[in-house]
Each structure stands twice: as C-alpha cells, then as structure tokens.
Amino acid sequence: MENESGHTAFQSFSPFGGQGASGIYIHIPFCRQACHYCDFHFSTSMKKRDEMVLALAKEITVRREEFKNETVETIYFGGGTPSVLSNEEIQFLIDAVYQNYTVGSNPEITLEANPDDLSAERIIQLSQSPVNRLSIGVQSFFEEDLKMMNRAHNALQAEVSIAEAVKHFDNISIDLIYGIPGMGNERWIENVEKALSFGIPHISSYALTVEPKTALHTLVKKGIISAPSDEAAQEQFQILVDILEANGFVHYELSNFGKEGYFSRNNTAYWLGKKYIGVGPSAHSYDGMHRSWNVANNTLYLKSMEDGKLPSETEKLSIADRYNEYIMTGLRTIWGVSLERVETEIGSIYKHHLEKEAAKFIEQGLLSNDNGILKATKSGKFLADGIASDLFFLNLD
C-alpha cells in the first residue's frame, strides 16, 4: 500500500475497492468514564467484557470468507478505549485474525490507548507483543482542558506515558483537540510544541464538536460551558498546520499529520477506498460496493453472536453514493480527486457535474486543479467537508 517514501502510491489506488491490501478494525466498546464530547458507542460497565472478547473473536472467525482473496495489512483496535483490555485479551484477538486470514508479512497493528492505561510496565509488555503502533489519546496537556472534557487521565499522565512510550515504540501517534472553549492561541501553541518535544512522528488533531445527545451538548445548552467558536477553531487549525509543516510533518489528510514513512496505513486505506471489515458493536465494513454496520448495542450484539447471527445491516451503494464517498474522502487528502477516474470508473456525467460545481471553488481559491487532480488549497482545507458536500451528486439512483 505504501511506497518507500511513506506515501501511498496513487497509481495503485482504486476508490471503489478491488483485491489487494485490506484492513480489519476491531471496536472495543468500553471506557472507564465518558468524555463529555464523545458520541462513539461505548459502555462504562465492564461486566460483559469477557463475553465481548469471545464474541469479537467469533465474529472475526465467521467473517473470514469475506476476505478469502484479500491480504490483511492493517489491524486496528479502536473504541471506546481498547487499552482497557489486558495484553492477553489483545493477543487473543490478534491470534484470531492470524488463524482465519492471510496477513501480510509486515502488518501495521495499532492500539488506541489512554495515558492512564500506559504504565511503564504495560508499555514494555505491549512492545513485546505484535502491536507495533500506539495511538495515544492525549487531547490536551493542560489540566483545565482535560477536566472540562472529563478525560480519565491528567496532564502529568499524558506527558509521562509519551516519554515512556518513545523508549519502546518507534511508531506513535497522539490525538490533540483544538477549538476548546477558553483555550486561546497561546495555550494551543504550547500544546503543539509540547507534543513536538517528544519527537513523535504522527499527530491527529480534531476540532471540538458539540454532538447531539452528549454531555457537552447539555452543558453548552445550559450555558455552563461556552459553545466552541468556529472562528477560533479555524485559526487554531491554521496555526497547527503552519507549525507542523515547519517541523517536517506532511499534512496528508485533513486531521492527520505524519513524518515521511509514518502515515497511518489503516486510515490511509480507508481514505483511498480499500476494503475493510469492522468487528464489534457499531463497527462499519466496506467491500467497495456495499457498506454494512453492526448494531450499536452491546447486549444485542452479544445475543446475536451467541445465536450465530451477524448483527448487521447492509446497503448496496449506488453509483452516486460511490461518487459522493470518493469526493468526501478524496478532498480530505493530499491525493485529491482524479477527474479521469471519476470519468472512467463512474461516468462522464459525474465528471461534468464535478467540473461545473468545482469551478466556483477554484475561482475562490479554495480548490486547485493540478493536471486533472482536484485538491483543497491551504485556505480550503479547513472547509473541505463543506466543499465536498456542495460537489455531491444529489439525484441518487
């Protein structure tokens, strides 16, 4: 999937699936406590953890036929908080993948982890396991931000965990959140510079978003916490881009920055339309022509797996769906959207629609057309999702 420079070779990419490198995503639906902003599926009760691990292994096993012609190049533990599992449970699930799938010789195996789970002993144990990439959920190095978001760790744990992790892992990513109410540009710059001080090769960063049915939504609605400012978020995004690019990071996707050779292979495959199987409650899967998703309920998921039924729904993607997905994912990346591929793999009517609708954004300096590849410009990157939605083909077939 990647060439020697770390960039995914554009020529090898088909936005509509096909044989080749694929990924398995394993959703661990447990957290020690609920972050105020999170709308992912999880439970703070660990009572059914043992049952869940067995059910996840069962789903991995029963779905092996879906990848009988595929090579698994990435295994990604997301959540929730995957680091609440023991090393033995993580190894058990990795073994289930190896026992049922063809796995590449050098797979990227990522574990999302919270700082409070990463003791020195735990990090050493993980470094001796097949896990070769850590994604550490720091979010901020400042106590007031962490308390406002109701994170389970404190600022000291964040620093200590990264300092220990870099001793044993080469491939580390950390998450940071910008646009936090009360966090001015000076504190945001300190956050970014603190992250850089550890020498890590990858940073994922997201704007704080108020999602419906979250604690943050309630707190903002009641006036207890100020609503995030879009203007502040956009300004801090540009600060982030400038600092990281000046320090040798490639802004290869809207929310992701990596040194050469350290782009997330799992996420890159997703953005470039590769196939993946999502295991666990709420997990999504994609085979190039269909998208499916598991029920977002731990009890129902466990019951279905016990009965030998996959707890999922499937939709066949229309041609317009596939075009829209390509636009949405492509504009977020440095690889952009190929007009030629739109024409040859979807149809000339979609290419003409794209050229017509993109013209105004090119005129505004938000998009560029570089030899038939549409890309978001520096000023257009923060607006990429909104621009993409304006380029969608809405007469769905």
Side-chain angles (χ1 to χ4, degrees):
M1 184 167 59
E2 292 184 316
N3 62 25
E4 290 181 356
S5 71
H7 287 284
T8 301
F10 185 81
Q11 291 79 5
S12 69
F13 133 65
S14 168
F16 313 114
Q19 293 188 357
S22 303
I24 292 180
Y25 170 83
I26 303 173
H27 187 80
I28 308 302
F30 300 111
C31 289
R32 298 194 192 283
Q33 66 185 51
C35 299
H36 284 162
Y37 57 86
C38 184
D39 68 341
F40 292 160
H41 172 67
F42 66 92
S43 170
T44 54
S45 170
M46 305 283 175
K47 290 179 181 177
K48 297 181 179 179
R49 191 173 102 178
D50 292 347
E51 294 173 63
M52 183 61 70
V53 171
L54 292 174
L56 294 173
K58 185 174 182 179
E59 185 182 357
I60 289 169
T61 302
V62 300
R63 297 183 66 182
R64 60 182 178 270
E65 285 299 305
E66 296 178 36
F67 270 13
K68 63 182 178 182
N69 297 318
E70 304 289 325
T71 299
V72 173
E73 295 288 353
T74 64
I75 303 170
Y76 192 100
F77 288 87
T81 309
S83 54
V84 302
L85 295 190
S86 68
N87 293 341
E88 291 75 22
E89 289 168 327
I90 293 166
Q91 182 69 58
F92 176 71
L93 294 172
I94 293 173
D95 288 344
V97 174
Y98 271 86
Q99 288 160 9
N100 291 283
Y101 299 80
T102 300
V103 181
S105 59
N106 183 33
E108 176 188 88
I109 304 180
T110 301
L111 179 75
E112 290 184 352
N114 276 359
D116 48 304
D117 291 324
L118 293 178
S119 66
E121 181 183 9
R122 181 82 193 276
I123 290 170
I124 292 171
Q125 291 171 347
L126 284 170
S127 72
Q128 296 166 349
S129 78
V131 173
N132 53 28
R133 184 174 184 270
L134 288 182
S135 177
I136 305 176
V138 172
Q139 316 312 350
S140 175
F141 290 101
F142 288 88
E143 208 66 54
E144 52 265 53
D145 299 334
L146 297 173
K147 287 179 179 177
M148 190 278 286
M149 293 185 285
N150 200 40
R151 294 291 294 170
H153 69 276
N154 59 42
L156 179 60
Q157 286 173 318
E159 293 190 37
V160 170
S161 67
I162 301 171
E164 194 62 34
V166 296
K167 298 177 185 176
H168 304 282
F169 280 87
D170 171 57
N171 199 350
I172 297 172
S173 177
I174 70 166
D175 289 351
L176 292 176
I177 291 179
Y178 56 88
I180 298 172
M183 183 177 71
N185 291 345
E186 185 176 333
R187 192 155 92 218
W188 175 236
I189 292 169
E190 286 186 58
N191 254 327
V192 178
E193 291 180 342
K194 173 66 73 173
L196 290 173
S197 72
F198 294 101
I200 54 171
H202 191 280
I203 292 175
S204 297
S205 192
Y206 310 90
L208 182 67
T209 306
V210 182
E211 301 291 352
K213 300 180 181 178
T214 61
L216 181 59
H217 182 266
T218 302
L219 292 168
V220 169
K221 193 174 180 180
K222 291 182 176 180
I224 298 171
I225 293 177
S226 300
S229 160
D230 289 342
E231 292 76 15
Q234 185 166 0
E235 193 172 340
Q236 290 173 7
F237 172 79
Q238 293 299 342
I239 289 170
L240 174 72
V241 172
D242 291 343
I243 294 176
L244 292 187
E245 288 186 342
N247 280 273
F249 284 76
V250 178
H251 188 196
Y252 70 100
E253 193 273 339
L254 183 62
S255 302
N256 287 271
F257 305 77
K259 293 286 185 73
E260 292 283 358
Y262 290 94
F263 298 0
S264 166
R265 288 164 57 189
N266 173 82
N267 294 349
T268 299
Y270 165 75
W271 296 313
L272 297 186
K274 296 291 186 178
K275 297 180 180 181
Y276 57 89
I277 288 177
V279 175
S282 80
H284 284 60
S285 303
Y286 175 71
D287 68 2
M289 303 297 281
H290 304 84
R291 187 170 299 287
S292 63
W293 54 94
N294 288 347
V295 63
N297 181 293
N298 288 5
T299 301
L300 292 178
Y301 174 83
L302 291 171
K303 180 68 167 62
S304 292
M305 292 309 302
E306 185 181 338
D307 294 341
K309 299 175 184 177
L310 284 177
S312 64
E313 295 182 48
T314 301
E315 66 171 342
K316 183 175 181 179
L317 299 177
S318 68
I319 293 174
D321 289 334
R322 292 158 62 195
Y323 163 84
N324 291 343
E325 290 214 4
Y326 179 34
I327 300 302
M328 177 59 78
T329 55
L331 282 187
R332 292 179 63 97
T333 73
I334 58 171
W335 301 283
V337 172
S338 166
L339 289 166
E340 179 185 355
R341 285 186 179 273
V342 170
E343 182 171 37
T344 58
E345 299 190 34
I346 308 181
S348 58
I349 187 173
Y350 291 89
K351 180 196 175 189
H352 296 322
H353 168 82
L354 178 57
E355 288 178 316
K356 178 173 176 281
E357 297 301 319
K360 61 185 176 185
F361 295 109
I362 293 173
E363 188 177 333
Q364 293 167 12
L366 300 176
L367 290 181
S368 67
N369 184 341
D370 183 12
N371 294 319
I373 306 294
L374 287 177
K375 297 180 181 180
T377 63
K378 183 175 181 179
S379 57
K381 281 183 178 178
F382 185 78
L383 306 171
D385 287 347
I387 294 171
S389 66
D390 282 348
L391 302 179
F392 282 174
F393 197 95
L394 300 179
N395 295 326
L396 301 181
D397 54 23

